[in-house]
Amino acid sequence: QKEVEQDPGPLSVPEGAIVSLNCTYSNSAFQYFMWYRQYSRKGPELLMYTYSSGNKEDGRFTAQVDKSSKYISLFIRDSQPSDSATYLCAMSDNYGQNFVFGPGTRLSVLP
Amino acid sequence: KAGVTQTPRYLIKTRGQQVTLSCSPISGHRSVSWYQQTPGQGLQFLFEYFSETQRNKGNFPGRFSGRQFSNSRSEMNVSTLELGDSALYLCASSLSRVNEQFFGPGTRLTVL
């Protein structure tokens, strides 16, 4: 079992749809949870990070962490074609010594 | 504020050669991490430097090495290149904790 698993995708949705992206993990030491967006031929861009369990909202993006289930999600409301990218979850322990990325989910938002 | 810069952006080498990649972090950031990204393996952590010291290391062979200078700029070196080293090499910087990293555009290395 991989340390971090992510919905494989690819995922295609119509413009305006609500998108749900998910990751599961096995290491209970993970405390920091991040979501990155990566456009083709670019480096990953940090979208959101959360500490421990709970929700965090930033504009059209909401990150949820459920440590009891070892499950994290990123929701995108009113999706736009510009949201088309690969989304990577990432997580680390309290000291950042074990920093792991998920394999990524490619999202296409169709106009 | 300028972002993370990496040079060169593209590189073509042949098997057996060595290569050095460079990364300039965001001003004030002291932590620099390197990652290898391939379609098959995704993003894999190579190593992290903080204040010129290697603080963390991933599971890569000793052919992969790095260093950090007093101005926080970092270099990564790969010796005796293999075909499987073809990848996008990404550098990320942060103030002090690897969890809030900002990535550069990457160096795409092709080994022939």
Side-chain angles (χ1 to χ4, degrees):
Chain A
Q1 182 190 8
K2 288 190 175 180
E3 205 164 12
V4 178
E5 305 211 37
Q6 191 167 353
D7 292 346
L11 188 60
S12 287
V13 301
E15 184 175 353
I18 296 174
V19 177
S20 171
L21 303 166
N22 308 293
C23 285
T24 58
Y25 63 94
S26 56
N27 189 342
S28 57
F30 288 143
Q31 296 285 346
Y32 288 90
F33 304 91
M34 286 70 68
W35 285 96
Y36 286 83
R37 176 175 63 193
Q38 186 173 22
Y39 291 115
S40 181
R41 300 190 177 279
K42 301 276 191 181
E45 168 195 9
L46 178 64
L47 277 176
M48 301 187 72
Y49 78 93
T50 53
Y51 176 74
S52 196
S53 285
N55 293 1
K56 186 171 184 177
E57 190 173 317
D58 184 1
R60 297 184 296 111
F61 299 90
T62 299
Q64 285 186 352
V65 175
D66 181 351
K67 287 189 67 185
S68 62
S69 302
K70 296 191 178 69
Y71 189 88
I72 70 171
S73 299
L74 177 71
F75 296 96
I76 307 174
R77 291 184 298 281
D78 188 25
S79 56
Q80 302 294 309
S82 59
D83 295 327
S84 298
T86 296
Y87 289 80
L88 300 146
C89 64
M91 43 201 79
S92 76
D93 59 25
N94 252 340
Y95 306 98
Q97 290 183 355
N98 184 12
F99 195 103
V100 181
F101 278 88
T105 300
R106 178 172 288 184
L107 170 67
S108 295
V109 181
L110 308 174
Chain B
K1 198 177 196 182
V4 178
T5 58
Q6 292 186 245
T7 56
R9 292 292 311 278
Y10 301 92
L11 208 48
I12 299 175
K13 292 285 188 180
T14 56
R15 276 182 302 174
Q17 288 188 307
Q18 75 161 12
V19 67
T20 299
L21 313 181
S22 181
C23 171
S24 292
I26 291 171
S27 178
H29 284 192
R30 295 166 66 189
S31 170
V32 174
S33 297
W34 288 90
Y35 294 84
Q36 181 195 68
Q37 187 174 35
T38 59
Q41 299 297 318
L43 259 167
Q44 293 186 284
F45 172 69
L46 281 155
F47 29 66
E48 182 219 355
Y49 284 86
F50 182 84
S51 293
E52 302 179 65
T53 300
Q54 188 180 86
R55 191 160 66 171
N56 293 297
K57 189 177 189 305
N59 294 324
F60 277 81
R63 301 186 297 108
F64 292 82
S65 63
R67 58 178 176 168
Q68 187 180 33
F69 302 95
S70 57
N71 62 359
S72 292
R73 191 177 70 84
S74 177
E75 286 182 348
M76 190 192 93
N77 184 273
V78 188
S79 62
T80 320
L81 284 165
E82 300 177 359
L83 295 179
D85 296 333
S86 294
L88 180 67
Y89 289 89
L90 291 157
C91 163
S93 77
S94 63
L95 280 172
S96 61
R97 299 181 69 100
V98 294
N99 40 299
E100 297 177 56
Q101 300 177 87
F102 297 87
F103 282 81
T107 294
R108 185 163 296 280
L109 171 66
T110 301
V111 182
L112 302 176

